Amino acid sequence: MSATSDAPAPPKIASLRPVPMLIFGSRWLQLPLYVGLIIAQGVYVVLFIKELWHLFAHAFDFSEQQIMLAVLGLIDVVMISNLLVMVIVGGYETFVSRLNLQGHPDEPEWLSHVNASVLKIKLAMAIIGISSIHLLRTFIEAGALTSGKTNYTETGVMWQTIIHTVFILSAIGIALVDKLSNASIEGAKQSAGHH
């Protein structure tokens, strides 16, 4: 036998009727949205460099608290950038098309098991992290509330704390619903396997 006849034939792709093909193809309309997020990430890189330069230029002028606030601002930019990467890579992989990164040395560990549920939980955790940085900055500056040398008010600090708590409760709710949903799917699979 020849080497060409031993090679397995590529799997046939079922052709879709026009309406299902249009509906399924509509996922590509999201591509400009992900490209826009990549551009937004470029803007965050510029912002990071600007903030880093500002910190460097005033390293000898700033107080320890001002340096800490500037560093927290840098961390905030990095965490938002990480959130953007998760949305861009995970969203594209989940909703548009496979990236086919299997075996690539830089493939993110979390991408191998990404789906809509995992993406929701990861995004909720990233938002909580970003909110935590903002709340920490607020608490650091809140020490100056009595002196009036801050942009924050007691009511503003209270609402920021309440909103952060709501983010945490929402993430717990999302994780709980996801766990219950997965448990019911597993239960249905097990009961179907016994019949």
Side-chain angles (χ1 to χ4, degrees):
M1 286 200 172
S2 69
T4 55
S5 64
D6 292 342
K12 276 192 169 182
I13 298 173
S15 61
L16 296 173
R17 294 187 320 268
V19 172
M21 186 169 61
L22 174 67
I23 292 169
F24 186 60
S26 69
R27 71 193 192 281
W28 288 101
L29 290 173
Q30 292 189 14
L31 183 61
L33 306 178
Y34 292 113
V35 171
L37 289 178
I38 292 168
I39 293 167
Q41 189 164 19
V43 171
Y44 265 99
V45 169
V46 171
L47 176 65
F48 184 89
I49 292 168
K50 182 179 136 194
E51 291 291 323
L52 186 62
W53 176 254
H54 184 254
L55 175 63
F56 180 75
H58 296 283
F60 296 107
D61 306 341
F62 280 175
S63 67
E64 181 183 353
Q65 181 176 344
Q66 288 173 312
I67 291 173
M68 190 185 329
L69 289 170
V71 170
L72 285 174
L74 293 174
I75 293 170
D76 189 35
V77 171
V78 169
M79 291 183 78
I80 291 172
S81 185
N82 290 343
L83 177 64
L84 281 168
V85 168
M86 272 193 283
V87 171
I88 294 165
V89 175
Y92 184 88
E93 174 87 11
T94 303
F95 301 112
V96 179
S97 183
R98 296 270 179 230
L99 292 170
N100 295 323
L101 296 175
Q102 292 80 12
H104 192 282
D106 293 332
E107 178 187 5
E109 178 272 326
W110 55 269
L111 192 58
S112 62
H113 55 271
V114 73
N115 59 37
S117 295
V118 171
L119 197 57
K120 275 190 295 190
I121 292 170
K122 286 193 173 295
L123 292 176
M125 296 309 295
I127 289 169
I128 289 171
I130 292 165
S131 176
S132 297
I133 294 297
H134 281 263
L135 197 57
L136 181 58
R137 289 176 71 180
T138 300
F139 286 159
I140 290 169
E141 289 193 35
L145 275 176
T146 54
S147 67
K149 294 180 181 177
T150 182
N151 294 329
Y152 296 100
T153 62
E154 289 181 21
T155 307
V157 173
M158 179 192 70
W159 277 109
Q160 197 169 349
T161 304
I162 290 170
I163 292 168
H164 180 71
T165 305
V166 169
F167 284 156
I168 292 171
L169 293 175
S170 298
I172 291 169
I174 290 169
L176 186 61
V177 167
D178 189 55
K179 184 177 181 178
L180 292 173
S181 174
N182 288 340
S184 66
I185 291 170
E186 286 298 316
K189 284 181 183 176
Q190 287 177 355
S191 66
H194 291 311
H195 293 297

